[in-house]
Amino acid sequence: MAARNRAKLPYLLVAPAVALLTLFVVAPGVYALVLSFQARKVVGGLLGGGSRLVFVGFDNYGTALADPELWSSIVRMLLVALLFIPATVGFALLFALLLDVPRVRLARSTRLAIFLPYAVPGVIASLMWGFMYLPATSPIGGDHIDFFGSVTVFFSVANVAVWGSVGFNMIVIFTALRALPSELYEAARIDGCSELRMALRIKVPLVLPAIAMCTLFTALASLQLFNEPNTLRPLSNAVSSTWVPLMKIYQDAFVDSDVNKAAATSVLFVIAALAVSFVASRTVSRVNR
Amino acid sequence: MRARVRLLPTAALVLGAIYCVVPTLWILIAATKSKTDLFSTATYLPSFGAGILHNIVDLSTYQDGIFWRWMLNSFGYALIGGVVASLVSAACGYAIAMYSFRGRKVVFNVILACVLLPQIVLAIPQYLLLSNVGLTDSYLGVLLPQLFNPYGIYLCRIYAASSVPQSLLEAGRIDGATEWKLFHSVGLRLMGPGLITVFLLQFIAIWNNFLLPFVMVNSDDKFPLTVGLYSLLRHGAAEASLYSLVITGTLLSVLPVIALFLSLQRYWRLDLVTGALK
């Protein structure tokens, strides 16, 4: 009896997670895949006509990929990512290393302050920064600096994203730094190694896996860029309704009611995200070795 | 030399902290201003009139106090979703860590792949699927997809493996305890501290979520704060007088989670976040 019970419990414990996984990840995924190969076609004549879903093969993928709006949204996303990824990882690493300097002052309170934006939703962060960018209400010189210019808007969007994610990444790297054995530093200090040299020559190489993990997280976050530009949109004309790919997918699905094209773009997007993850995790395991 | 070494890092950290705190401080200042002051007074100086009280009253009466409804919804989604998702994650992570059973590897690998799969691109297919069963524009439509938290399961597995010794389970078995009893009285108890972190992570993830409720819900009485304030801003684009409502709402939405965050900070097991447990 006990043995049978023992054999059953793990399945019971895993069941809720597997059920949720099936219903809310696998099923929507499969459904999106099915939709992406279908299109609504008008059938019948003038009388009694209607529309029904027909199989169209890769047509939706063709239309999606031939849409210049998708490509310009991808370019804009890449431009933001180009600013966002190095700034986030760079500042996170810098702050983590500074926190790890022996006897640095105010470490606890500054660490907390830098981590705090993590608790602020992206939409709310964009609202706060949006009003800081707005010329009429800006405390940071919005009447001299055009935060919604054709070039500056990329910095403005990236800045909101950086603000929200530096803290979490800093904690990831800082935790990795703290896990290093302290004996490592003693010898270097006796040899007269400066804190700066020690940070660059000893600490950074040893926390490379954590840095790689942060880079992967921020790269995935850039793919999912939506909240920041979407929230800044009502405040400025600089952000179009299809500014980044997710906004384009949303526009296709809900504004233009072309669910099938949106599904095809989503599928392409998932493939891209998985490819980024795969390449990144391969790199991480190589670094680990 | 020594002193400079300490001064420079401290100064850099303080600059970083200021950068992170300034938007919140500014929104606090802006919320003290009346609709007309907002555009006419020096932007970095607070107004010492009763502006903030007026703003809060205006916000509270806007559409019969819908703002507080949004606040309540956000807490409801995040609290219920956080608790249930943590329990689901705990059960699954514990089973994968403590038992060897058929299909264990497959389940874990699929979950690991889900950690890397951006949940957000699933929002639209989830909407389409849930609309077929009539669950869109309902509380459940927002809540259900957020109960599965692959990262939480991953963390629970690591945490169970390191905090629940197999020998303790063996001892319990000899004493005649059932597997279920071992799970909830030994496993769950020992995993407690880690579970709080999993709960906090999921609470904040749901609290911060925008796209899923944005596509899932149309009626404004089911909005969480993020979608509610966004819709207020959209109306405000035509009517600048709503700006001070948006600003006040932003302040009121940030304060409780910052308070919660600060008061719970000692429960964060941040070493768990990175899976860096020894």
Side-chain angles (χ1 to χ4, degrees), chain A residues 277-288:
Chain A
S277 304
F278 182 73
V279 171
S281 58
R282 284 293 290 269
T283 321
V284 171
S285 58
R286 193 164 307 153
V287 169
N288 269 331

Side-chain angles (χ1 to χ4, degrees), chain B residues 53 95 117 194 200 209 211 235-236 241 243:
Chain B
L53 293 177
L117 181 77
L200 289 173
N209 201 346
L211 190 59
H235 292 298
S241 62
Y243 276 0

Side-chain angles (χ1 to χ4, degrees), chain A residues 9 20 27-28 33 41 50-51 53 60-61 74 85 88 91 100 118 143 153 164 181 183 193 205 236 253 282 287:
Chain A
L9 188 77
L20 289 167
L33 207 60
K41 288 273 157 70
S51 67
L53 286 171
N60 292 317
Y61 289 90
I74 291 174
I85 301 173
T88 304
F91 279 117
D100 202 44
Y118 171 66
D143 36 359
V153 69
E183 303 91 66
C193 182
S236 160
R282 284 293 290 269
V287 169

